[in-house]
Amino acid sequence: QVQLKESGGGLVQPGGSLTLSCLASVNIFSLYAMGWYRQAPGKQREYVAAITRGGTTNYADSVKGRFTISIANTKNTIILQMNSLKPEDTALYHCNADLFRSIVTSPGVYWGQGTQVTVSS
């Protein structure tokens, strides 16, 4: 069983930045991929970004050029650096992972509880 724990959400003004972290209960190099999905009130859950254990990254078009996903030095943690935030980025952000496959086209098996990101003036 893999446990995921997010941190770093909060309230930020449009144009601001936030950094989200996801701590895994296992060495993330034992996972095929980790990343983020988000869900805004009244909307469907949507893919945000992912990184494989080989370091390959992928982003949704809506966040490309503004968000960066990376593996932290601790190796049990991934980071989502979010810059130039917009009100439409407001959502509950969930960490997601899978042992065996990509999480880009469909989410993996393991989920965190989520961390709220609110972009508002």
Side-chain angles (χ1 to χ4, degrees):
Q1 184 74 11
V2 177
Q3 296 179 331
L4 305 172
K5 175 68 174 174
E6 306 92 338
S7 61
L11 173 64
V12 65
Q13 292 187 341
S17 298
L18 277 176
T19 303
L20 303 185
S21 299
C22 176
L23 172 65
S25 60
V26 299
N27 187 312
I28 62 174
F29 292 103
S30 68
L31 300 166
Y32 183 90
M34 286 182 72
W36 299 86
Y37 278 75
R38 67 186 181 186
Q39 188 164 21
K43 294 189 177 181
Q44 286 192 330
R45 181 178 58 200
E46 65 171 346
Y47 166 76
V48 177
I51 187 165
T52 68
R53 60 185 171 214
T56 300
T57 59
N58 183 279
Y59 299 93
D61 288 342
S62 59
V63 306
K64 205 171 290 184
R66 300 188 297 121
F67 291 11
T68 302
I69 190 169
S70 62
I71 297 172
N73 291 334
T74 62
K75 296 187 180 179
N76 282 3
T77 301
I78 62 168
I79 303 293
L80 185 68
Q81 178 64 43
M82 305 186 295
N83 298 328
S84 303
L85 283 161
K86 305 174 181 180
E88 51 263 43
D89 294 316
T90 296
L92 185 63
Y93 283 69
H94 290 274
C95 187
N96 181 253
D98 202 278
L99 284 167
F100 304 113
R101 62 170 179 82
S102 168
I103 65 168
V104 172
T105 55
S106 63
V109 173
Y110 303 106
W111 290 96
Q113 297 277 14
T115 185
Q116 179 66 38
V117 171
T118 302
V119 185
S120 175
S121 54

